[in-house]
Amino acid sequence: MREFRYERPADVSSAVTALAGSPNGRFLAAGTNLVDHMRLGIATPDLLVDVRQLTSDQITELSDGSIRIGAAVRNSELAADRRIRRRYPMLSEALLSGASGQLRNVATTGGNLLQRTRCVYFQDLTTACNKRQPGTGCSAIDGYNRDHSIFGASEHCVATHPSDMAVAMVALDAKLRTQGPDGERSLPLIELHRLPGDQPDRDNMLNHGELITAIDIPPLGFVTNSRYRKVRDRASYAFALVSLAAALDVADGVVRDVRLALGGVAHKPWRATKAEEALRGVPANEDNFRAAAQAELADAQPLSGNAFKVPLARNVITRMLLDLAEEAR
Ligand SMILES: Cc1cc2nc3c(=O)[nH]c(=O)nc-3n(C[C@H](O)[C@H](O)[C@H](O)COP(=O)(O)OP(=O)(O)OC[C@H]3O[C@@H](n4cnc5c(N)ncnc54)[C@H](O)[C@@H]3O)c2cc1C
């Protein structure tokens, strides 16, 4: 590991100023992703600005019924929160499907959103990877790509985004609150992560020195009928091949509203808007569920090793909607 400076500023503004003045510096939360990358030599920051004590570790209810989650809230605390479990079960289930109990006890909400891909080539300094070292090429396109994207990839990168929590938050229309060198801003979480295009080394739309302070989840009544399902190679301690966060509102046998987001299929959490559009206003039955899933998957562009993700995602969406329709009765 290379030498680095470590600072623990007294407040958010000082943390933002410290990082803005250090182009190669990084914020440090629990370090479960960043420190691993420093050990592997993937990340070589010359300054770590510790933000664990600076952002809120509280989950609070706002006057409009939204829930505000401080960036320092631990993954296990968020999953266990009574309001989250009752109002947004898909979020609690997504968190509990990730990592291990020990990791969830320290990993933070902000850090979880900004964890980097688990592509094997990204983590292996001996191989070409445009995300790790722009211009070197993508080893996964013609290599091992079983875990990789079926949507929105580019000729430069086919990696997937790994966070389970982010998939549920995108389905829930969460909003991010940040403070950066240019002040505070709020942006829809769906705009945080980006597709790789010709700049795959850039995972997200944050500016250097911009700190996530909180995430707001709006009140969506029907989301009490929601689930997160994660298909992976092992029952625990593994990243998603395909995952789905889904909520369904059915009235008189007809779909009134729906939220669907897929994980493990793209460089960002993939909101399944085509399937959602196909579902609103149609009878809640298997044929319509499968047709909606098919409408989404029609755009998939699988690689040599992951064509199985297309029928897998179709079946996960269909089965999940059947289960949610049953529970809505
Ligand atoms: C073995 C293993 C298995 C795992 N399995 C899963 C899994 O199945 N599903 C899953 O979703 N995750 C999984 N994870 C990932 C784990 O959830 C993340 O490592 C963790 O959530 C990162 O949180 P952290 O607080 O440790 O972030 P850190 O490692 O401290 O930071 C991660 C990144 O976020 C930045 N950052 C942190 N906080 C902020 C902030 N407030 N504002 C701006 N930037 C910030 C840091 O600069 C860094 O770039 C696994 C991890 C391990 C080690």
Side-chain angles (χ1 to χ4, degrees):
M1 203 188 276
R2 296 234 186 111
E3 271 190 22
F4 57 88
R5 287 181 297 124
Y6 170 86
E7 288 182 14
R8 199 192 293 177
D11 52 41
V12 167
S13 298
S14 313
V16 168
T17 306
L19 207 68
S22 176
N24 200 26
R26 300 283 286 278
F27 291 128
L28 174 74
T32 60
N33 195 228
L34 180 56
V35 174
D36 270 2
H37 287 175
M38 290 168 69
R39 286 203 193 99
L40 290 168
I42 298 170
T44 54
D46 53 14
L47 171 68
L48 289 186
V49 178
D50 193 331
V51 295
R52 270 173 303 186
Q53 317 289 332
L54 300 186
T55 53
S56 167
D57 62 359
Q58 301 295 311
I59 302 164
T60 47
E61 205 165 337
L62 306 181
S63 54
D64 68 354
S66 299
I67 296 276
R68 177 162 294 171
I69 303 157
V73 170
R74 303 288 191 261
N75 290 177
S76 51
E77 284 166 14
L78 186 56
D81 185 87
R82 191 174 38 81
R83 293 157 295 187
I84 299 293
R85 281 176 29 224
R86 201 175 62 229
R87 292 189 215 167
Y88 310 104
M90 66 156 80
L91 178 55
S92 181
E93 290 175 14
L95 282 153
L96 291 174
S97 78
S100 63
Q102 291 92 331
L103 283 158
R104 292 193 297 269
N105 281 342
V106 292
T108 64
T109 307
N112 188 298
L113 289 175
L114 297 185
Q115 63 177 292
R116 305 202 72 192
T117 184
R118 291 283 159 166
C119 175
V120 287
Y121 301 105
F122 174 72
Q123 308 210 38
D124 179 355
L125 288 185
T126 66
T127 61
C129 170
N130 287 324
K131 181 176 274 301
R132 178 169 30 76
Q133 202 177 347
T136 56
C138 172
S139 304
I141 286 181
D142 296 316
Y144 174 83
N145 52 38
R146 183 170 184 273
D147 300 334
H148 294 65
S149 295
I150 57 170
F151 290 118
S154 77
E155 60 180 314
H156 304 290
C157 181
V158 294
T160 51
H161 177 76
S163 165
D164 292 294
M165 181 190 79
V167 177
M169 286 186 171
V170 159
L172 291 169
D173 294 323
K175 277 210 173 79
L176 205 66
R177 296 175 63 81
T178 69
Q179 186 168 333
D182 300 326
E184 294 182 29
R185 69 167 170 151
S186 161
L187 81 155
L189 188 57
I190 195 157
E191 293 174 19
L192 171 66
H193 302 101
R194 54 188 296 286
L195 293 177
D198 59 5
Q199 214 185 346
D201 51 314
R202 192 163 175 218
D203 291 341
N204 61 64
M205 301 304 285
L206 295 185
N207 300 312
H208 182 72
E210 190 169 3
L211 182 75
I212 299 173
T213 53
I215 289 92
D216 291 347
I217 309 211
L220 284 172
F222 75 93
V223 166
T224 50
N225 187 34
S226 73
R227 290 275 173 275
Y228 186 76
R229 196 158 288 163
K230 178 172 174 180
V231 183
R232 47 188 159 173
D233 283 329
R234 289 190 310 269
S236 70
Y237 215 41
F239 288 86
L241 291 166
V242 169
S243 68
L244 175 69
L248 186 67
D249 184 15
V250 177
D252 299 326
V254 172
V255 176
R256 196 157 52 179
D257 209 347
V258 61
R259 295 287 185 283
L260 296 170
L262 290 158
V265 297
H267 201 252
K268 59 187 222 174
W270 190 260
R271 182 75 181 259
T273 47
K274 288 193 178 144
E276 288 182 0
E277 277 160 27
L279 284 164
R280 287 193 185 99
V282 303
N285 61 41
E286 181 165 357
D287 284 349
N288 286 334
F289 294 160
R290 195 165 289 283
Q294 187 52 41
E296 192 68 43
L297 272 306
D299 293 337
Q301 292 187 308
L303 302 158
S304 54
N306 69 4
F308 72 93
K309 285 192 179 187
V310 177
L312 179 59
R314 190 170 50 233
N315 291 342
V316 170
I317 293 172
T318 308
R319 184 70 249 171
M320 174 83 103
L321 290 170
L322 281 168
D323 290 348
L324 290 172
E326 182 64 33
E327 281 169 38
R329 278 187 197 181

